[in-house]
Amino acid sequence: MRRSRAFIPTTKEAPSDATLPSHQFLVRGGFINQQGAGLYNFMPLGKIVLEKIRNIVKEELDNAGCNEVQLSFVTPISLWERSGRADTMGKEMLRISDRHQNDFVLSPTNEEAMVELVKNRVTSYKDLPINLYQINTKFRDEARPRYGLLRGREFLMKDGYSFHASQEDMIREFNLMEVTYKKIFTRLGLDFRVVEADSGAIGGTGSKEFHVLADSGEDTIVVCKSCDYGANIETIFTNEEEIDALNEKSYEELQTQELSDKCVCGGELNFKKGIEVGHIFQLGDKYSSALEANFSDENGKPKPFEMATFGIGVSRLVAAVIEQNHDENGCIWTKETAPYIVNIMISNIKDEAQNTLGEELYLKLLGENVEVMLDDRKERFGFKMKDAELIGFPYTVIIGKELDNGHVQVYNRKTQEKTSINTGDIYKHIMGLI
Amino acid sequence: MRRSRAFIPTTKEAPSDATLPSHQFLVRGGFINQQGAGLYNFMPLGKIVLEKIRNIVKEELDNAGCNEVQLSFVTPISLWERSGRADTMGKEMLRISDRHQNDFVLSPTNEEAMVELVKNRVTSYKDLPINLYQINTKFRDEARPRYGLLRGREFLMKDGYSFHASQEDMIREFNLMEVTYKKIFTRLGLDFRVVEADSGAIGGTGSKEFHVLADSGEDTIVVCKSCDYGANIETIFTNEEEIDALNEKSYEELQTQELSDKCVCGGELNFKKGIEVGHIFQLGDKYSSALEANFSDENGKPKPFEMATFGIGVSRLVAAVIEQNHDENGCIWTKETAPYIVNIMISNIKDEAQNTLGEELYLKLLGENVEVMLDDRKERFGFKMKDAELIGFPYTVIIGKELDNGHVQVYNRKTQEKTSINTGDIYKHIMGLI
């Protein structure tokens, strides 16, 4: 993409309510903008990042044998009345009426709709297990939407639902999805922890959360220094006031907090702050029983499906990457999430030699399907450099005065190091980096 | 995909309200199911087709220099009040209230939101033109939703908006989009016509519609036998009763209808029935003036953007392909839209030789990234064959009794021809077909 033809409206000003780095930098970098309280538009750069994350989620789920579907976002309230959740979901589930005064909801999650989809279509134990997922819009009418993409009202979520003939098989799939989620978050380049969690409004018998570690995380988790154990504090403290008090502490304050010994291997436990980006639940037959969704077992007897459910906050991940990867100058995208991995900056667009080399390198990299931006704008070098840091391209090739000596510089956004490279070697050098 | 592990719930029964082939066969073939009036779920096969169409639309638009974005689906009503359309859009635009009694709409189209996105972010003629699009959920609260995906309430639409410094440049882009749309519908394998159209509620000075020819089409168009001219009858008849009367006639009845000479080259005009799958509009400054969205021209003077807007009914195209490509037994997908291009049918799953060849061929084609289904179910041959016809795989390799003589059959869904092929040549034969 040529920067002169792209719609990337970067700005010096952050919104007045933006307290978190991801909110500030995603708006300032031209990735997103606010349409209303908790409602965000993805501009071209933000859309590219969102689709990259969506594709990685899809690829790993498909590899694990899941089938993608797409449910209607507007769903009849009758579904929720039958499961009993019309009464328990509270005000976060937004009710709407159509022109004929029939009542619907904007889907906040889809257990009921997915059970209805499978009911009477999968009738025998021979057709089980089955794991269906979608990556689709959700709406939760938060009382106080905030933190940009981290706590919006409309968001993109992957929700998956599996159906089984036995609890053993459901637990096998639950474990497979834990492994699959780890692959997804590892590919995204994130430092994360899997922790024991509370099942909340979804219900069920066991659940695990996936947290991206970040000082700004809303959740407080404890992790063991010696083993894999981790837990959301909601599962180990029973006093709600105590939980709230801990959640209000900053990451630094938590380091001085004492934690009495509750754990698995006897190793030392530490408090961390985390952003919840995934949650997997063992549901059992809660929804299948309520909605009378049965299959015939080996003996021809009707039994309700054993179920599990699996969520990933896809649009939330765009912000989580930045909460974990930024500095005071802007975003630092990981390789798998960067909107463009290489930015070629022509320092002085009036300099013919700089222009020629920039164009040549741009077309050569494009030809190799490298995701490359050419900053061909008539702007000062300092302005363009600040812009590149704000957006957070992993590598910027600076074509400037050193070209007189046959050199260009490669700037690494993460380490902030500049490396001088012979113009003859630049293509090879870039291909080696990415 | 192994059919024994797939969720493809085919059925003999069509919904009682399904009068059109696409509605009947997409439900019976396990592509879609109804969640509520005008609300549809895409099951795995339907989701694959939808994504194929989405990807072709995206590829051609990106090649034409458009930038993809994603706007919030729930939008504040204030946007629509400022443009004046809060009053004129009628009941099809569904109004909703959040928990704080603030008013929003479920986006039926996005001219206002897109103008707001560009306003104050593109400020100079130097940054024009710009063409932004999204492929996102829309909602129109139809009084009488019907015809399955053809007239639903929630649907997937591509809506694009371009911004220009002059009318000439806007018309250049309008023409480029006409060419781009033709490429898209040609790649999808559709027989379509571009016709002069009425601008309706969107407004503006000129528009063209793209119609897939189908006897069941809701629109009546006239096309010239000798030249490229075509028009929606709404543009050439002024009497609304006359238009309604023509629209109610079947395709056969229209062939006996006389049409007085109104046309361009003097050639003979014919009535046709069409399904509208695309619409492009020259908007001028209708929205940019109303929303005070200006840029600075060469002389530094503020001017409202010249705009055009471009729509494609992405989920409607899934149905339009089938309206144009079906027979009494089911769907006949085109190569670019087929959920799987090859279906390998093991006639008798208990026959070891049939099984071995089926598995071998399946793995070999998978290795070449061929979209292949292996029908490995323990069902009768006749049942599996009817199922393959209903779903509409372009090619089915039948591994049956002929295997004793070293042959398999390749069934072409469109021509219904069976060709006997030596087992040693089957891989090469399939690769030649696709």
Side-chain angles (χ1 to χ4, degrees), chain B residues 176-232:
Chain B
L176 172 65
M177 285 298 111
E178 179 177 342
V179 171
T180 304
Y181 275 34
K182 284 178 179 171
K183 281 186 191 167
I184 290 169
F185 299 126
T186 301
R187 268 187 72 181
L188 291 172
L190 292 165
D191 184 13
F192 66 95
R193 295 291 183 279
V194 189
V195 303
E196 307 287 333
D198 195 35
S199 298
I202 304 288
T205 52
S207 80
K208 288 188 178 181
E209 288 171 352
F210 297 75
H211 283 269
V212 170
L213 299 183
D215 297 357
S216 59
E218 276 196 277
D219 283 288
T220 309
I221 59 176
V222 292
V223 295
C224 179
K225 276 193 171 178
S226 311
C227 76
D228 269 350
Y229 175 77
N232 192 311

Side-chain angles (χ1 to χ4, degrees), chain B residues 80-131:
Chain B
W80 302 80
E81 286 165 346
R82 290 218 296 285
S83 74
R85 285 210 292 182
D87 296 327
T88 59
M89 285 296 282
K91 284 193 173 177
E92 283 191 16
M93 185 163 85
L94 190 66
R95 278 95 170 147
I96 65 174
S97 293
D98 71 3
R99 65 195 291 161
H100 301 303
Q101 277 73 54
N102 291 317
D103 293 330
F104 296 84
V105 306
L106 300 187
S107 299
T109 176
N110 293 278
E111 281 76 9
E112 287 82 352
M114 207 60 94
V115 170
E116 282 295 322
L117 185 70
V118 168
K119 181 179 172 180
N120 297 329
R121 291 193 176 88
V122 174
T123 53
S124 162
Y125 73 97
K126 291 178 198 162
D127 300 325
L128 295 172
I130 172 175
N131 189 334

Side-chain angles (χ1 to χ4, degrees), chain B residues 272-399:
Chain B
K272 298 268 184 195
K273 285 285 189 183
I275 300 166
E276 185 195 332
V277 292
H279 202 158
I280 59 178
F281 300 85
Q282 296 179 19
L283 280 181
D285 64 355
K286 177 182 155 109
Y287 293 93
S288 50
S289 288
L291 297 166
E292 295 172 20
N294 298 317
F295 66 95
S296 297
D297 72 4
E298 284 98 331
N299 306 314
K301 278 193 184 167
K303 265 192 183 174
F305 296 108
E306 280 288 325
M307 287 179 64
T309 177
F310 314 101
I312 292 180
V314 177
S315 51
R316 170 177 276 203
L317 273 165
V318 176
V321 171
I322 296 308
E323 286 303 322
Q324 195 172 76
N325 300 279
H326 67 270
D327 60 18
E328 67 279 13
N329 297 321
C331 306
I332 305 175
W333 295 101
T334 63
K335 278 191 190 179
E336 288 268 18
T337 59
Y340 292 88
I341 198 151
V342 178
N343 178 41
I344 301 171
M345 187 188 298
I346 302 170
S347 300
N348 177 6
I349 200 79
K350 291 176 189 164
D351 183 305
E352 202 177 310
Q354 289 185 20
N355 241 320
T356 305
L357 179 63
E359 287 281 342
E360 258 180 35
L361 184 59
Y362 173 67
L363 294 175
K364 205 163 173 182
L365 292 174
L366 265 192
E368 292 294 325
N369 292 319
V370 176
E371 293 151 343
V372 59
M373 175 75 77
L374 178 69
D375 195 341
D376 55 351
R377 291 174 299 168
K378 289 178 194 163
E379 302 280 358
R380 284 180 305 105
F381 170 72
F383 176 87
K384 293 207 275 199
M385 199 62 207
K386 273 195 177 164
D387 217 43
E389 293 213 294
L390 175 60
I391 290 172
F393 305 103
Y395 303 104
T396 292
V397 180
I398 303 169
I399 304 178

Side-chain angles (χ1 to χ4, degrees), chain A residues 1 5 33 35 41-42 47 67 69-70 72-75 98-100 104 117 129 141 143 153-154, chain B residues 1 5 33 35 41-42 47 67 69-70 72-75 96 98-100 117 129 141 143 153-154:
Chain A
M1 172 66 75
R5 302 288 352 121
N33 79 298
Q35 170 103 299
N41 298 324
F42 287 81
K47 178 65 174 169
N67 284 288
V69 300
Q70 182 175 307
S72 178
F73 172 53
V74 173
T75 54
D98 72 3
R99 66 196 289 161
H100 301 303
F104 296 84
L117 186 70
D141 197 8
R153 296 198 289 178
E154 182 179 317
Chain B
M1 172 65 74
R5 303 287 351 119
N33 79 298
Q35 171 103 299
N41 298 324
F42 287 81
K47 178 64 175 172
N67 285 288
V69 300
Q70 182 176 308
S72 179
F73 173 52
V74 173
T75 53
I96 65 174
D98 71 3
R99 65 195 291 161
H100 301 303
L117 185 70
D141 198 8
R153 296 199 288 179
E154 182 178 316

Side-chain angles (χ1 to χ4, degrees), chain B residues 14-30:
Chain B
S16 56
D17 65 332
T19 54
L20 295 190
S22 67
H23 191 177
Q24 293 166 353
F25 292 138
L26 289 175
V27 172
R28 287 191 50 212

Side-chain angles (χ1 to χ4, degrees), chain A residues 151-179:
Chain A
R151 195 160 286 280
R153 296 198 289 178
E154 182 179 317
F155 53 96
L156 191 68
M157 185 175 141
K158 173 257 159 176
D159 48 329
Y161 308 83
S162 67
F163 298 82
H164 308 270
S166 69
Q167 197 188 25
E168 293 70 41
D169 194 59
M170 182 269 280
I171 290 172
R172 177 202 52 72
E173 187 77 8
F174 181 86
N175 292 333
L176 173 65
M177 285 299 111
E178 179 176 341
V179 171

